[in-house]
Amino acid sequence: MAGFRTLDSLGDVAGKVALVRVDFNVPMADGAVTDTTRIKASAPTILELADAGAKVLLLTHFGRPKGQRNSTMSTSIILDGVQDVLGREVMFIPEVEGPVVAQAIGILRPGDIGLLENTRFWPGEEKNDPAFAQGIAANGDFYVNDAFSASHRAHATTEGLAHLLPAFTGRAMQAELEALDKALGNPQQPVAAVVGGAKVSTKLAVLEHLVSKVQHLIIGGGMANTFLAARGVDVGKSLCEHDLTAKAEAIMDAAEAAHCTVHLPYDVVVAKEFAANPPSLRTCNVHEVAADEIILDLGPQAVEALADVLKTCRTLVWNGPLGAFETPPFDQATVALAKTAAALTGEGSLVSVAGGGDTVAALNHAGVKDELTYVSTAGGAFLEWMEGRELPGVAALIQQG
Ligand code: ADP
Ligand code: MG
């Protein structure tokens, strides 16, 4: 973690005002938070600062109010959920800058926590307006970013503030950066990447970046069909981006030049209709897919071969399910490979890092989410990192000199 300042280097914070960027953009139903994962993720950071005697002010976006106040997207709505997870009373502060915030700071005692209003109520947030960031910074003594999942955006509270106050990585941000570094930054070799999901088009940049980074590129999911088609396989009625077969070929050429082995399935699970347990379900070699069949999962031989690949690797990075895992029985390849990855991780022979919205759901479904080394719940930020891009909110935390 060279270049980053963690909370370990904070010094005495008693009575100081911490401006902590979190991502509490949580799902709600009937006025209650339905998934507290993101709040739980930042709880250690918040409680550590509060217990050290700081006055902790939480900054988050919530929904897409597009630069205007909107009572349905006020962070006051999530206050109860935040208090429940933290087990502490939290003061709601209906602004992010100015005298109302200053007054609230006067009322808060060292160790108290305040939740500021939705940062995206002000257009300066998404514009990364320096004057807006200055206004927020004026009330704080230091800044902590604990919102990796929002750090692919250069906004005032994810990027701008880091230049105006002493800036630190929160504990969740630190864990995420350390895990990502172990997976692709500075990994133990050999490295395998699993890239699955629906479409090649959403992950072209990821694939292009990975071929120069990993020894084994495992392609599954709907996107494998495009690669199979590029190799002359007739994929029938499968999801396939025929206009991208040239791109797929270029990726395979680049992989070859970089000594990266691309793994495509040689058996698949197919059906004539996309439905749960369809009567037409069968497993076949990729060359035997009929014109009226749809590829919906990798076959058992492919999964076995991929498990053997993982056994030779020290590091795995995974984004995208191998099949249409939401519909039985097309979850089998994903579940089986996830269990192999979990077992190898448990034995200590594999560092496994996974991320992506549907990937997290699939790993939960497989029951192994907690058995991998690290699972990132950041969607867009995780993908941009897999593309090898610099995330502005992370880059701003790197100390110069
Ligand atoms: P993530 O959110 O983890 O980045 P994606 O959004 O790229 O993953 O892809 C997930 C989706 O891909 C799932 O909804 C899954 O059903 C779909 N998928 C996987 N394999 C296939 C396939 N063979 N045909 C159609 N859809 C597939
Ligand atoms: Mg998705």
Side-chain angles (χ1 to χ4, degrees):
M1 286 271 297
F4 294 101
R5 268 197 302 210
T6 70
L7 298 187
D8 296 324
S9 55
L10 258 179
D12 183 16
V13 297
K16 294 210 173 129
V17 177
L19 290 170
V20 184
R21 181 53 156 97
V22 290
D23 182 353
F24 286 175
N25 188 25
V26 288
M28 304 280 298
D30 301 324
V33 177
T34 54
D35 181 350
T36 54
T37 307
R38 285 178 164 168
I39 303 172
K40 283 187 185 135
S42 282
T45 297
I46 297 163
L47 296 178
E48 181 176 342
L49 290 166
D51 291 344
K55 299 183 181 185
V56 183
L57 297 187
L58 305 176
L59 288 157
T60 184
H61 69 288
F62 182 50
R64 295 175 184 272
K66 303 208 167 105
Q68 286 181 356
R69 280 191 190 267
N70 178 333
S71 60
T72 67
M73 293 179 214
S74 168
T75 53
S76 60
I77 293 172
I78 60 171
L79 186 67
D80 283 348
V82 173
Q83 295 186 127
D84 284 349
V85 172
L86 296 178
R88 307 263 171 110
E89 203 177 303
V90 177
M91 180 197 238
F92 173 67
I93 303 165
E95 299 284 340
V96 292
E97 59 169 332
V100 171
V101 177
Q103 209 175 16
I105 290 167
I107 297 167
L108 292 172
R109 292 154 305 173
D112 283 350
I113 303 164
L115 176 63
L116 298 169
E117 187 50 285
N118 186 347
T119 57
R120 289 193 187 164
F121 280 6
W122 291 271
E125 167 71 334
E126 288 173 80
K127 286 188 192 136
N128 200 3
D129 175 3
F132 179 63
Q134 277 289 357
I136 299 171
N139 283 314
D141 293 308
F142 64 98
Y143 168 74
V144 176
N145 187 346
D146 211 29
F148 177 83
S149 53
S151 293
H152 56 316
R153 311 240 184 260
H155 291 173
T157 63
T158 58
E159 202 272 346
L161 280 180
H163 301 293
L164 301 174
L165 290 170
F168 300 84
T169 56
R171 294 301 181 196
M173 172 70 91
Q174 181 187 346
E176 182 105 27
L177 294 176
E178 283 170 356
L180 299 187
D181 191 60
K182 269 199 255 173
L184 278 187
N186 210 353
Q188 291 186 50
Q189 316 274 340
V191 186
V194 171
V195 184
K199 290 181 167 181
V200 174
S201 49
T202 60
K203 298 194 178 162
L204 266 177
V206 169
L207 295 165
E208 283 165 357
H209 178 61
L210 287 177
V211 292
S212 66
K213 286 274 175 183
V214 305
Q215 285 72 46
H216 296 277
L217 178 60
I218 294 168
I219 300 180
M223 70 171 63
N225 302 334
T226 303
F227 281 82
L228 290 170
R231 289 221 170 139
V233 172
D234 186 347
V235 296
K237 278 184 12 194
S238 305
L239 176 66
C240 179
E241 292 161 290
H242 291 282
D243 53 326
L244 286 180
T245 51
K247 282 272 187 203
E249 270 176 76
I251 288 165
M252 289 190 278
D253 290 345
E256 199 178 335
H259 304 290
C260 163
T261 309
V262 176
H263 299 269
L264 293 174
Y266 40 77
D267 65 339
V268 285
V269 180
V270 298
K272 289 193 203 306
E273 64 278 332
F274 183 19
N277 304 305
S280 57
L281 183 77
R282 72 182 187 107
T283 299
C284 67
N285 184 283
V286 290
H287 296 288
E288 293 163 355
V289 178
D292 61 349
E293 285 180 321
I294 314 165
I295 300 172
L296 290 161
D297 200 11
L298 306 193
Q301 286 184 54
V303 173
E304 214 177 295
L306 296 179
D308 286 340
V309 172
L310 295 194
K311 283 173 195 153
T312 69
C313 290
R314 302 302 310 275
T315 304
L316 165 68
V317 49
W318 186 336
N319 168 261
L322 299 180
F325 75 99
E326 302 92 336
T327 310
F330 308 113
D331 59 341
Q332 286 187 5
T334 306
V335 169
L337 200 67
K339 286 189 168 156
T340 300
L344 294 170
T345 305
E347 288 166 17
S349 71
L350 191 71
V351 169
S352 51
V353 174
D358 294 293
T359 309
V360 175
L363 294 171
N364 259 327
H365 170 72
V368 301
K369 196 183 141 230
D370 298 330
E371 293 171 46
L372 302 186
T373 309
Y374 190 82
V375 176
S376 173
T377 52
F382 184 83
L383 271 185
E384 287 198 20
W385 166 78
M386 271 190 95
E387 292 172 359
R389 283 162 63 170
E390 182 175 77
L391 309 189
V394 173
L397 293 171
I398 297 171
Q399 303 301 311
Q400 311 301 328

